[in-house]
Amino acid sequence: MNIKKAILASMLVSSMLVAVADPIPAGAGAAQEQQLDRWTIQIDPKWTEKLNQAVKLFAGEDVQLQKVGKLDFNNKNASKITEVRSVDGKYSLQFDYDTGIIWTVSGKTATIDQISKQEQEDVLKWLKAIYPKKKYAFDNEVEVIHQFTDEKLSKTSKAEVREEKTYELKGKDFSASLHKLDGIPEHIGHITIDFDKKELDPKLLKTVVDAAQTVSTNKFEMTTAQLRVDLSPIISKNKPNITWVFHDGKVTIYADPNTGKINSIYNELGKQVRENKGISEKEAREAVAPIVKKVFNIDMNGYSVKWDGTEKDFAFTKKNGMNVRAALDANKKVVYIRVGRAAAPGIIKYAADLEAKPH
């Protein structure tokens, strides 16, 4: 695998490791199916046999997969990538729901003693450097994610599970990914650290709750607060990215850990329009400007606005280089708003608008 493909593989695997929500179990009733959020999709039956064969190739036995999958909303560059898990939760795979191309297969098939002491120590050093107040201990179970060669991409037209893999290490309040991919050095990909409400700065939490209320009529009841650190930039000698992520199943907020300022807000239950028919640029500005002012303290006067047919959203730009990007639903309600670097087209959703500062 060349370096470009290896890095793409790293991105695909890493984005799966930091997904916020779990798939809805198979067998959900019709009423529940109607309430699926915009990231949960029914698996097209035409891919069922292919997916079953791929996971069987990995597991060595028949595995029952769920009938729904989760779109990878952490990676805007891989927005058609869907994760499907087995009913028992032990196995999963990632595939493109349009083409059916399978990218990875995985399973909870390793233990922590199969990870070298040096690699364990490297992960612990990063965890302690990011947030030293917690005690970190690894769970015994380790998920192994293998790169998969789909028959559509294979020179021999044969599907196969490759040796290139990622280990997902977990413990109380944290997870970390170890990449062992062809073409790039072995490295830690992502680290996430979970926090309880009582561990958060009350001022930061209030800022998050207030922001959530601007795009949702539901009360924000936080279920997830995480520090997410992307260490992949280290490969190219850049500093890692780090961001706060707050989630309640309905709204997701991204904030700068250094300043506490919010840089992205998503209504996860919103249905983003795929074309701008019926929504003028003037109406888009009127819908977005009050929220941008309230949440980000940005005055939209002087900003130009243009529909982006690729991203399916509205791009607001100013001559000084400040950018705002927003998506709307059919009722002109905000689905998401991103500002600063986070507003760049094709941005990976978890990438923060900052660099990690040394402890």
Side-chain angles (χ1 to χ4, degrees), residues 6-20 72-75 78 81 83 94 103-104 145-147 165-168 175-181 184 187-192 226 228-233 235 348-351:
I7 292 175
L8 173 60
S10 175
M11 289 169 59
L12 288 171
V13 173
S14 295
S15 60
M16 183 175 76
L17 298 182
V18 296
V20 173
D72 180 11
F73 63 80
N74 292 290
N75 190 342
I81 300 300
E83 179 189 8
Q94 283 184 312
W103 296 103
T104 68
I145 303 167
H146 279 260
Q147 299 299 303
K165 55 186 171 289
T166 294
Y167 293 99
E168 184 183 10
S175 66
S177 62
L178 286 172
H179 293 313
K180 299 191 177 186
L181 306 173
I184 54 178
H187 67 285
I188 303 170
H190 287 80
I191 286 177
T192 66
Q226 290 182 327
R228 293 184 183 171
V229 183
D230 176 10
L231 299 175
S232 297
I235 301 173
I348 297 172
K349 187 175 170 186
Y350 52 73

Side-chain angles (χ1 to χ4, degrees), residues 133-292:
K133 295 182 180 179
K134 288 180 178 286
K135 293 182 178 180
Y136 301 101
F138 295 110
D139 291 343
N140 185 57
E141 189 176 68
V142 175
E143 183 164 8
V144 186
I145 303 167
H146 279 260
Q147 299 299 303
F148 189 83
T149 298
D150 193 284
E151 62 268 19
K152 289 184 179 180
L153 305 177
S154 172
K155 293 179 180 179
T156 61
S157 298
K158 179 184 178 181
E160 61 180 350
V161 179
R162 298 206 301 268
E163 278 302 308
E164 299 163 272
K165 55 186 171 289
T166 294
Y167 293 99
E168 184 183 10
L169 284 59
K170 289 188 175 182
K172 184 180 182 300
D173 294 342
F174 77 91
S175 66
S177 62
L178 286 172
H179 293 313
K180 299 191 177 186
L181 306 173
D182 185 28
I184 54 178
E186 295 183 6
H187 67 285
I188 303 170
H190 287 80
I191 286 177
T192 66
I193 302 177
D194 299 330
F195 292 84
D196 188 82
K197 277 186 179 181
K198 63 179 180 291
E199 297 178 286
L200 301 176
D201 180 349
K203 184 179 178 180
L204 173 61
L205 185 57
K206 183 180 185 305
T207 299
V208 170
V209 171
D210 290 346
Q213 298 303 122
T214 65
V215 299
S216 174
T217 56
N218 299 298
K219 183 179 179 181
F220 186 80
E221 298 287 354
M222 190 188 75
T223 56
T224 304
Q226 290 182 327
L227 273 177
R228 293 184 183 171
V229 183
D230 176 10
L231 299 175
S232 297
I234 293 177
I235 301 173
S236 52
K237 299 182 179 180
N238 292 316
K239 294 181 180 180
N241 291 324
I242 182 169
T243 187
W244 269 119
V245 184
F246 303 91
H247 185 70
D248 75 339
K250 305 178 186 70
V251 178
T252 301
I253 307 286
Y254 292 75
D256 181 332
N258 295 324
T259 65
K261 291 182 178 180
I262 293 170
N263 56 50
S264 301
I265 179 170
Y266 287 73
N267 175 7
E268 301 295 356
L269 301 182
K271 303 292 183 180
Q272 180 179 351
V273 295
R274 309 305 294 176
E275 54 185 25
N276 66 330
K277 292 180 180 178
I279 304 178
S280 68
E281 293 175 345
K282 179 176 180 294
E283 289 172 322
R285 184 192 300 276
E286 290 173 347
V288 173
I291 298 176
V292 171

Side-chain angles (χ1 to χ4, degrees), residues 112-151:
I112 192 63
D113 58 6
Q114 293 173 258
I115 308 300
S116 73
K117 293 296 184 182
Q118 183 60 57
E119 289 170 324
Q120 292 182 41
E121 187 60 31
D122 289 343
V123 171
L124 290 173
K125 284 180 180 178
W126 271 107
L127 287 164
K128 292 172 183 176
I130 296 164
Y131 193 76
K133 295 182 180 179
K134 288 180 178 286
K135 293 182 178 180
Y136 301 101
F138 295 110
D139 291 343
N140 185 57
E141 189 176 68
V142 175
E143 183 164 8
V144 186
I145 303 167
H146 279 260
Q147 299 299 303
F148 189 83
T149 298
D150 193 284
E151 62 268 19

